[in-house]
Amino acid sequence: NAGVTQTPKFQVLKTGQSMTLQCAQDMNHEYMSWYRQDPGMGLRLIHYSVGAGITDQGEVPNGYNVSRSTTEDFPLRLLSAAPSQTSVYFCASSSLSRVGHGYTFGSGTRLTVV
Amino acid sequence: AQTVTQSQPEMSVQEAETVTLSCTYDTSENNYYLFWYKQPPSRQMILVIRQEAYKQQNATENRFSVNFQKAAKSFSLKISDSQLGDTAMYFCAFRAYNNNDMRFGAGTRLTVKP
């Protein structure tokens, strides 16, 4: 049982470049989300999805796109990277019928934009 | 919108001593869950303990326990017999019954000293 798998673990981008952070889960969770973690600010929600074909914005969606074509995968796309997007990114998932169990997190991606 | 506040950016404790981390939250919801997550230097987010708002009894998991005061909207974490492996960032989080999103506090960095 792999849980939530995020790739890559580390990435350095130049300003203006685009890239996709991958997230996959094998627990058949309906809910998936992306957070960014910045010092002193905790984790802030970027985008989330409650099922294939359904996505919505969180607190800090600007500069990011998502899609959910399958239950398992929820990629996060940076359209034109900016230094302000330097952060640690977490993907998380949960079952909609077990809200009280919290999230299962991926191991995170440390992204640096230079 | 719900907000979660952790007013202690950093704390330290001697090994084998007890430490309490504070968390307050603001919500108009009556039914919700509260969580404490641990993030060691490995960056992995680990669920430590959770509390359902309708339960008056405070949750306990081995050396970890909470003091949940619903009226005061307070949810503190007590770590007894602190161990070096408890050194980590600790995040308090809130999730309403009718909302899949989880809101996090800014975190408290705990250092256990030998």
Side-chain angles (χ1 to χ4, degrees):
Chain A
N1 189 349
V4 178
T5 302
Q6 273 185 249
T7 55
K9 294 191 184 303
F10 301 93
Q11 183 70 49
V12 178
L13 286 180
K14 294 182 178 179
T15 298
Q17 285 185 318
S18 62
M19 79 159 296
T20 299
L21 306 185
Q22 301 292 344
C23 177
Q25 53 93 8
D26 61 358
M27 297 167 287
N28 205 33
H29 284 170
E30 304 92 338
Y31 181 83
M32 296 185 75
S33 57
W34 278 99
Y35 285 83
R36 59 177 290 172
Q37 180 182 2
D38 301 291
M41 304 189 76
L43 280 74
R44 292 181 294 166
L45 182 64
I46 304 171
H47 284 286
Y48 66 95
S49 168
V50 296
I54 305 170
T55 63
D56 207 345
Q57 297 180 350
E59 297 173 79
V60 289
N62 292 340
Y64 307 96
N65 271 358
V66 292
S67 60
R68 183 98 180 266
S69 57
T70 66
T71 300
E72 294 78 20
D73 300 300
F74 190 47
L76 177 72
R77 297 181 185 85
L78 280 70
L79 308 173
S80 177
S84 61
Q85 294 178 305
T86 293
S87 186
V88 177
Y89 291 84
F90 285 96
C91 179
S93 73
S94 83
S95 167
L96 291 181
S97 61
R98 305 179 77 179
V99 174
H101 287 233
Y103 288 171
T104 300
F105 284 89
S107 57
T109 298
R110 180 175 293 279
L111 175 68
T112 303
V113 183
V114 298
Chain B
Q2 293 84 11
T3 58
V4 179
T5 302
Q6 293 178 249
S7 59
Q8 306 152 313
E10 294 188 14
M11 294 191 72
S12 63
V13 64
Q14 292 295 133
E15 195 174 8
E17 298 291 309
T18 295
V19 64
T20 298
L21 308 184
S22 300
C23 173
T24 59
Y25 56 95
D26 185 23
T27 184
S28 58
E29 301 283 344
N30 192 48
N31 297 316
Y32 49 87
Y33 298 96
L34 295 162
F35 305 87
W36 279 98
Y37 279 88
K38 170 185 177 181
Q39 186 182 46
S42 67
R43 202 168 67 201
Q44 186 66 47
M45 294 287 285
I46 302 165
L47 179 63
V48 174
I49 198 166
R50 61 191 178 100
Q51 174 80 39
E52 299 178 62
Y54 71 88
K55 290 186 176 179
Q56 293 186 342
Q57 186 173 4
N58 289 324
T60 299
E61 291 286 343
N62 301 313
R63 297 182 296 107
F64 299 88
S65 62
V66 299
N67 183 2
F68 173 49
Q69 301 290 328
K70 189 172 184 179
K73 296 181 181 176
S74 171
F75 183 60
S76 61
L77 174 70
K78 186 172 81 170
I79 305 174
S80 304
D81 186 25
S82 297
Q83 301 175 359
L84 297 178
D86 294 334
T87 292
M89 280 288 286
Y90 287 82
F91 292 99
C92 178
F94 171 101
R95 191 179 192 185
Y97 273 27
N98 61 358
N99 189 333
N100 295 303
D101 304 335
M102 193 176 292
R103 296 291 171 133
F104 290 83
T108 296
R109 183 175 301 280
L110 176 68
T111 301
V112 180
K113 299 180 178 179

